[in-house]
Amino acid sequence: REKDDKYKTWMPKFLMAKENKDQRKSSNDAERNIFKVKKSNAEKSKKMEKEEKFFRETFMYDKEINVISRATAECSVPSKRRVDLPVTAGEQLDVIDVTEGNAVICRNSGGRYGYVLVEHLNFR
């Protein structure tokens, strides 16, 4: 066997035939990777649904959620109340609804909703 390995020509992995690659990887490994991706997407959508449900209950919002515009946060602002949305500088936000006063209802990339003051946003 040592003699066979000694005279075997060296080939980089990316030039190997498909049959050799299939033999190295078992079919179980490929299936596991596919399911992991789908599971993370399912968890994200589940979290988004939970956040939306919380938003509708807290804000008593029964209208359809439509994005009016997009805005960028100019500065980082921590939330003082649960209904306020904490933002970081440069974060992209979807403006959902305009309220009376100087606040708007926004959604961040994580799917969380809350009030953000207009003076902290940059509309393009």
Side-chain angles (χ1 to χ4, degrees):
R1 185 172 183 204
E2 292 174 359
K3 289 180 182 179
D4 291 341
D5 289 340
K6 186 176 181 182
Y7 296 110
K8 198 180 227 184
T9 57
W10 178 83
M11 291 178 63
K13 289 183 181 180
F14 60 88
L15 293 177
M16 292 177 70
K18 283 189 175 182
E19 296 121 16
N20 294 341
K21 285 184 180 179
D22 293 340
Q23 289 175 357
R24 284 187 290 129
K25 288 186 177 181
S26 67
S27 61
N28 293 338
D29 293 339
E31 288 177 18
R32 286 185 193 143
N33 290 339
I34 292 170
F35 289 126
K36 283 182 183 177
V37 171
K38 289 181 181 178
K39 186 178 179 183
S40 66
N41 288 342
E43 287 175 0
K44 274 188 177 179
S45 63
K46 198 177 220 183
K47 183 181 177 188
M48 295 281 262
E49 287 176 12
K50 184 181 174 186
E51 287 290 342
E52 184 179 334
K53 183 181 177 187
F54 178 79
F55 163 70
R56 289 189 180 278
E57 290 172 356
T58 305
F59 290 79
M60 292 179 267
Y61 197 84
D62 57 351
K63 298 185 272 183
E64 186 177 344
I65 296 174
N66 290 325
V67 177
I68 298 170
S69 66
R70 291 189 59 103
T72 306
E74 290 182 337
C75 58
S76 297
V77 181
S79 64
K80 295 177 181 143
R81 306 174 293 169
R82 176 63 177 120
V83 293
D84 293 335
L85 182 64
V87 294
T88 57
E91 184 178 10
Q92 294 285 325
L93 301 170
D94 296 330
V95 178
I96 305 297
D97 201 357
V98 180
T99 61
E100 293 179 16
N102 60 349
V104 291
I105 298 174
C106 294
R107 175 178 61 197
N108 65 6
S109 60
R112 190 166 173 203
Y113 297 85
Y115 289 116
V116 179
L117 295 176
V118 175
E119 60 230 25
H120 299 305
L121 298 177
N122 182 15
F123 295 92
R124 293 184 192 182

